[in-house]
Amino acid sequence: MIHFHSPDHDLLTESDKVLLGAAAPNLVRPYLSLWRNEHSTPLILLPEIAQATEVATVVMKDEGHRLGLGSFKALGGAYAVMTLFKRMLEAHLEDNISIAQLISPAARGFAASITFCCATDGNHGKSVAAGARILGCRSVIFVHEGVTTARAAAIGADEIVRVKGNYDMSVDEAERVSKERGWLLVSDTSWEGYEEIPSLVAQGYTILAEEALDQIEELNIDPPTHVFLQAGVGGFASSISLHLNEALGHENIKTIVVEPDRAACLFMSAKAGRLSSFSPTEPTIMAMLECYTPSLVAWRILNATATAFATVSEEEAKDAMRKLAFREHPIVAGESGCAGLAGLLTVAGDPEVRRRLGLNDSSRVLLINTEGATDPASYENIVGSTADDVLRNVANHSS
């Protein structure tokens, strides 16, 4: 399904533009120095997808190895944790400190008294836990009963708390317990009265948007005309959409938001013309996108910048995973990671949708693989090969 939307750029606040605009990556980048394996992720040309969808070019930013955590989320939660810890440490010391001093012996002593927490489907919690670990803080991550054992084990937190119900229920429980115990909640979804921290998380993601534009320029390709962005609560999609709007001009880029048809809270909000929740029926394999209430800030930004809201089925996501795994130069993409590609493949086959989106043989499409095989068993079951076997094919092609 697809819902066409008339974005109203005037809905954006000046603080939105500062937070996620052209200068935002400059605020994030210094914190990346605290990671030992910081490097840009690759941008990959997909000529066979461009041919199949009858557009000029398709490129994919592959976040499957970002900072060693397997997803773009590495940029958001950890950055927010580090930013918040810096504020707390400066208040404690009553002095300004450098980012490098966040891991000094004096900082370590203070860090031991701090606990960060959040709710997660997997990747955001992994980032929050990693940020806390780098600083020497404690992390407690809340996961709902739909999160697989493999995804929960991969988070690497000091403590995992299982919550009955879905993602939204784990968000509520994390908020309740954090208030009760004095922990610092670093959520990637926002609600009334809780907007600053999720906005910091979203600011971290602007790094990958800036990298993508730089890499496109290095390939001597004109900037994208369309971007297909998968969404759960919408923090990632809103961050990339606004950054591209500010960098390229909102008249030059069309954002298509893609969600699972079993968890389409932004799609429902766009149809209703207001923030709305989605009533779940059954789980989706796109587990990282299985959210039923949008982020307040993300919805406001997407309402101002998105051209369309689309949904994809379980089988369409599986098909996109296989297309990436069995191309000449394979890409490992998890169920949620390939949702943007699934969206492109779905809408490209409808002439009327193409016309309304302005999707034609001169269009240039940007996709982002937001995660690798975060659940190895699920990946192998869908693709028919392990992620390692797929990556061996990459090595074979490179040799």
Side-chain angles (χ1 to χ4, degrees), residues 236-277:
F236 160 74
S238 64
S239 172
I240 306 306
S241 181
L242 179 50
H243 188 82
L244 294 178
N245 269 258
E246 289 296 293
L248 302 176
H250 64 271
E251 69 282 357
N252 296 321
I253 183 75
K254 291 183 172 68
T255 296
I256 299 89
V257 178
V258 182
E259 297 173 278
D261 57 11
R262 297 181 180 181
C265 58
L266 288 159
F267 181 92
M268 294 298 293
S269 298
K271 285 192 71 173
R274 56 181 173 78
L275 191 148
S276 302
S277 294

Side-chain angles (χ1 to χ4, degrees), residues 126-369:
K126 191 186 294 187
S127 182
V128 168
R133 186 166 57 250
I134 287 170
L135 299 172
C137 300
R138 184 168 177 265
S139 63
V140 179
I141 308 299
F142 294 74
V143 299
H144 61 90
E145 59 190 1
V147 175
T148 64
T149 301
R151 285 197 171 102
I155 290 171
D158 293 296
E159 182 180 351
I160 297 290
V161 178
R162 282 278 182 183
V163 178
K164 289 185 178 179
N166 58 34
Y167 170 77
D168 292 36
M169 294 174 182
S170 67
V171 171
D172 291 342
E173 182 67 1
E175 183 189 17
R176 183 189 71 80
V177 175
S178 67
K179 288 179 177 177
E180 182 181 280
R181 303 196 181 181
W183 297 343
L184 193 54
L185 178 67
V186 181
S187 176
D188 62 349
T189 188
S190 60
W191 52 85
E192 194 70 43
Y194 183 82
E195 298 183 23
E196 184 194 14
I197 291 175
S199 296
L200 284 174
V201 173
Q203 188 174 61
Y205 304 151
T206 61
I207 284 284
L208 74 90
E210 183 186 62
E211 282 182 6
L213 292 178
D214 288 344
Q215 290 166 324
I216 286 169
E217 185 176 354
E218 290 167 5
L219 290 172
N220 293 316
I221 300 172
D222 287 334
T225 58
H226 297 73
V227 59
F228 287 74
L229 298 170
Q230 48 267 56
V233 295
F236 160 74
S238 64
S239 172
I240 306 306
S241 181
L242 179 50
H243 188 82
L244 294 178
N245 269 258
E246 289 296 293
L248 302 176
H250 64 271
E251 69 282 357
N252 296 321
I253 183 75
K254 291 183 172 68
T255 296
I256 299 89
V257 178
V258 182
E259 297 173 278
D261 57 11
R262 297 181 180 181
C265 58
L266 288 159
F267 181 92
M268 294 298 293
S269 298
K271 285 192 71 173
R274 56 181 173 78
L275 191 148
S276 302
S277 294
F278 181 90
S279 298
T281 53
E282 54 186 325
T284 172
I285 60 167
M286 291 166 270
M288 304 303 167
L289 309 179
E290 191 172 354
C291 307
Y292 302 111
T293 301
S295 164
L296 179 65
V297 173
W299 162 242
R300 185 182 74 243
I301 291 172
L302 290 171
N303 191 23
T305 61
T307 304
F309 294 79
T311 63
V312 293
S313 70
E314 308 293 284
E315 289 306 314
E316 286 165 342
K318 292 177 183 179
D319 181 57
M321 290 173 69
R322 297 183 192 112
K323 276 185 166 57
L324 292 173
F326 297 120
R327 62 191 301 269
E328 184 178 359
H329 298 282
I331 298 171
V332 171
E335 301 89 333
S336 301
C338 67
L341 171 59
L344 169 62
L345 294 170
T346 300
V347 305
D350 188 318
E352 178 60 16
V353 171
R354 292 179 67 99
R355 184 189 68 79
R356 293 190 64 176
L357 289 178
L359 195 66
N360 53 48
D361 59 7
S362 63
S363 298
R364 301 174 300 275
V365 177
L366 171 62
L367 304 172
I368 300 169
N369 172 29

